[in-house]
Each structure stands twice: as C-alpha cells, then as structure tokens.
C-alpha cells in the first residue's frame, strides 16, 4: 500500500512501501513480457507532462499505462501552450479538467512535482525533478538488483559519475540505505554534492579501489546541461579517471553493470563493458515498464 496519492520521491517512502512496489512490479513484469494486457486502469487517463527530454521514462510510462488499459495523453513543453506562457499549475488544472487520473511530470526545477501535487486532484508521479529525485528509475534499479541477487540487503553498490547533479543517485541512495545495502559514491570532488555525508554513503575518489567487493557498479551520466561552470578539465581527462573500464573493474570482474541511460560511450563507460555479459542496462529499461505499471496500479487501486 502507498500512503499518499502521489509518488514524489523515495526519501519519503517507508522500507515497506518500497518493498511492496517491487513485489507488485515482479508480477507486472510477468504480464508485460508475456504480452498480457491488464485492465486495472480501464477508464482511467494517464498524462505525461515533460518539460525536459526523455526516451526511456516517458515511453515506458506510456507503455505501462496502455498495458493497464488506460488512455494516455502526452504533453511536451516544446509543442504545447506552455510555449504561450501557461503556468505549470494552470497546465495541471487543465489536465484535471480533461479528467486525468495520473500526471507523470519531468521538470528541471526540483520541487515542481510537489507543487503540482498540492494544486491538482490527479495523482502526481515524479519522472525526474532537477537534481532532486527520480523515484521510478531507482525502483527499476532495485527490481533489477533483486532479480539478480534475490535481495538488496547486504549488497555493495558503487555509483560513479556526476553524483552532484544526479537525481538517480539521490533516489538510489535514499532507497538502498532503507533496504540495507552498502553504498559508495565515486567522483571528482567537484561532482559531489556539498552535503554528501548526509546521504549515508561512503565517498571515494578512486574507482579501482572503491569497487573491491562490489556487487553492483552503476555509471551515471555526465550532465553537462546542469553544469554552470566546467567542473573537470576535459571529457577525456574525466574518462581516464572515472570511466568504467575492464581494467578498473579488475577487483570485481563479476559485478553487475548498471546505468540509467542515456549512456555516453567512452566517457562514462566503455562499449565493451556497456555491451558486455555483466551489463543489465537493457534489462533495466524493460524493468522500467514493470515498475511503472506497479506504481500506477498501486496509486489508483491501492
Ligand atoms: N533514465 C532516464 O531517465 O532516461 P530518459 O532521460 O531517457 O527518460
């Protein structure tokens, strides 16, 4: 059961709520990969309202909604009345008037989904807000880890990359901590948040050293669009120190390789590792549909 009408982040969910979503997602995945259309959202409407670009999140929410029997609407800031000056709240109220039950929002401002949740009747799902949270990405990461290891508790998860700007890292750090995993973040000092110690993780500046004993190594995208100033000398120098390569994984050759995407090959991770046998990056995308089916079903049907 979820206690609230909205899913805004994993910081505010209990361990039990997170576990319930993963369990529901496991059965949703069976239906999705088996091509079984469900009708638990029959007669409902799901709108995606995206102020930032997306391939995976937007399309997997829309696929998930259709698999549950809902009708869908897609609003992109670039080709809607947002371009004529319509505010976020007025856009949300317009969707309410169109009898929308769930609005999935992605916005560059942290807190935009929380604001919308206060102002509209529809359930709000955060599809990524600025540098704050991306809860369904973390949930699909958790489902992927659980499928491979059977449990999250006791796993050692190393995240490497642009931690400072990463909403995926924040959601994962909140959730993995609640579920009993051990987490380490690896980045240059300039790509770490100033409050990193409050996130409950170890910090390392050396990827080769950090991955000793790791079960999961997760690459994170370099978010040049959120950097106001250059935070490392050059892309190639960044890659030399922090790209996931076979050499740097020498101490954990069997670790699961994850990345939320989109991947910058050769910058965050080599193509050999991205496409290698330990990579579950494509499975993460499939699991995204299952998790989003579970979240929407639980918000509407309990
Ligand atoms: N992982 C993720 O959020 O990807 P998109 O930006 O393609 O949605």
């Amino acid at each position: 059961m979820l206690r609230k009408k909205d899913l805004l982040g994993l910081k505010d969910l209990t361990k039990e709520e997170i576990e319930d979503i993963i369990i529901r997602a496991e059965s949703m995945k069976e239906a999705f990969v088996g091509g079984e259309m469900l009708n638990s959202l029959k007669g409902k409407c799901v709108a995606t309202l995206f102020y930032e670009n997306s391939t995976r999140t937007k399309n997997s929410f829309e696929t998930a909604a259709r698999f549950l029997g809902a009708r869908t609407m897609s609003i992109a800031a670039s080709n809607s009345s947002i371009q004529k000056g319509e505010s976020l709240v007025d856009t949300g109220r317009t969707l309410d008037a169109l009898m929308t039950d769930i609005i999935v929002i992605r916005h560059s401002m942290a807190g935009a989904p929380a604001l919308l949740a206060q102002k509209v009747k529809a359930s709000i799902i955060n599809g990524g807000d600025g540098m704050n949270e991306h809860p369904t990405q973390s949930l699909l990461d958790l489902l992927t880890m659980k499928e491979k290891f059977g449990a999250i508790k006791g796993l050692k998860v190393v995240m490497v990359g642009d931690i400072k700007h990463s909403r995926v890292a924040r959601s994962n750090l909140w959730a993995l901590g609640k579920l009993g995993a051990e987490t380490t973040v690896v980045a240059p000092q300039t790509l770490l948040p100033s409050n990193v110690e409050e996130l409950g993780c170890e910090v390392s500046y050396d990827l080769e050293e950090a991955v000793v004993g790791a079960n999961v190594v997760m690459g994170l995208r370099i978010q040049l669009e959120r950097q106001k100033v250059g935070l490392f000398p050059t892309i190639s120098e960044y890659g030399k120190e922090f790209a996931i390569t076979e050499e740097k994984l020498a101490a954990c050759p069997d670790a699961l390789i994850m990345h939320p995407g989109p991947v910058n090959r050769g910058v965050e991770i080599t193509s050999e590792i991205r496409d290698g046998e330990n990579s579950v990056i494509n499975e993460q995308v499939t699991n995204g549909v299952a998790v989003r089916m579970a979240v929407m079903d639980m918000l509407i049907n309990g």
Side-chain angles (χ1 to χ4, degrees):
M1 281 287 280
L2 295 175
R3 289 166 301 150
K4 298 190 177 155
K5 86 170 174 62
D6 312 292
L7 176 64
L8 302 177
L10 299 189
K11 186 180 180 188
D12 298 329
L13 290 197
T14 63
K15 173 177 177 277
E16 289 71 28
E17 284 175 305
I18 295 171
E19 286 173 343
D20 282 353
I21 296 170
I22 303 299
I23 289 166
R24 184 78 64 100
E26 286 168 338
S27 59
M28 291 296 180
K29 183 169 178 183
E30 276 182 36
F32 175 55
V33 298
E36 183 194 347
M37 306 294 282
L38 306 177
N39 60 11
S40 64
L41 291 194
K42 195 168 172 2
K44 305 290 180 188
C45 177
V46 175
T48 50
L49 173 58
F50 274 53
Y51 289 77
E52 287 188 334
N53 295 338
S54 167
T55 298
R56 281 149 284 268
T57 310
K58 181 173 180 297
N59 288 296
S60 65
F61 265 112
E62 290 172 3
T63 302
R66 288 189 201 111
F67 253 82
L68 295 175
R71 70 188 162 90
T72 57
M73 281 192 290
S74 171
I75 301 101
S78 56
N79 63 5
S80 67
S81 290
I82 294 161
Q83 289 298 323
K84 300 177 195 163
E86 190 161 41
S87 72
L88 170 64
V89 172
D90 284 341
T91 303
R93 286 180 175 151
T94 302
L95 292 175
D96 260 354
L98 288 166
M99 302 299 149
T100 306
D101 298 282
I102 296 176
I103 302 173
V104 182
I105 177 177
R106 172 170 286 188
H107 203 288
S108 58
M109 299 296 294
L115 170 69
L116 200 58
Q118 289 169 15
K119 303 288 184 184
V120 302
K121 287 194 228 105
S123 287
I124 301 299
I125 300 178
N126 180 0
D129 63 329
M131 303 191 298
N132 182 34
E133 284 223 39
H134 190 350
T136 57
Q137 176 66 47
S138 171
L139 290 165
L140 74 88
D141 293 340
L142 298 173
L143 173 60
T144 309
M145 291 180 215
K146 191 178 171 202
E147 280 180 346
K148 297 294 166 187
F149 297 105
I152 306 293
K153 191 171 178 184
L155 292 182
K156 176 173 176 176
V157 181
V158 175
M159 289 178 228
V160 55
D162 189 349
I163 310 295
K164 183 185 177 85
H165 299 99
S166 178
R167 51 200 179 202
V168 177
R170 276 179 191 74
S171 286
N172 266 321
L173 288 170
W174 293 127
L176 287 164
K178 285 176 207 242
L179 297 188
E182 190 188 313
T183 50
T184 303
V185 295
V186 186
Q189 182 78 54
T190 50
L191 292 183
L192 288 170
S194 54
N195 67 340
V196 66
E197 64 287 344
E198 290 167 28
L199 299 171
C201 54
E202 298 291 317
V203 177
S204 169
Y205 306 101
D206 184 328
L207 183 56
E208 267 183 85
E209 202 177 275
V211 299
V212 175
N215 302 104
V216 177
V217 178
M218 184 186 295
L220 295 169
R221 188 171 67 85
I222 291 293
Q223 302 195 22
L224 293 172
E225 76 275 22
R226 296 191 210 281
Q227 294 187 17
K228 306 244 175 339
V229 292
L231 294 175
F232 46 84
T234 63
I235 289 278
S236 68
E237 278 166 291
Y238 171 84
K240 202 166 147 227
E241 294 297 323
F242 297 101
I244 303 173
T245 63
E246 201 177 323
E247 296 74 42
K248 295 201 195 92
L249 297 184
C252 64
D254 299 325
L256 209 61
I257 304 299
M258 301 179 73
H259 193 301
V263 169
N264 292 306
R265 288 173 184 257
V267 177
E268 296 135 18
I269 187 167
T270 60
S271 278
E272 292 70 34
I273 299 289
R274 160 67 184 84
D275 301 328
E277 60 182 16
N278 293 344
S279 169
V280 287
I281 295 172
N282 296 334
E283 286 167 68
Q284 286 176 264
V285 178
T286 304
N287 285 345
V289 178
V291 152
R292 288 161 181 140
M293 287 170 76
V295 167
M296 290 192 287
D297 186 42
M298 288 170 78
L299 286 176
I300 297 295
N301 298 318

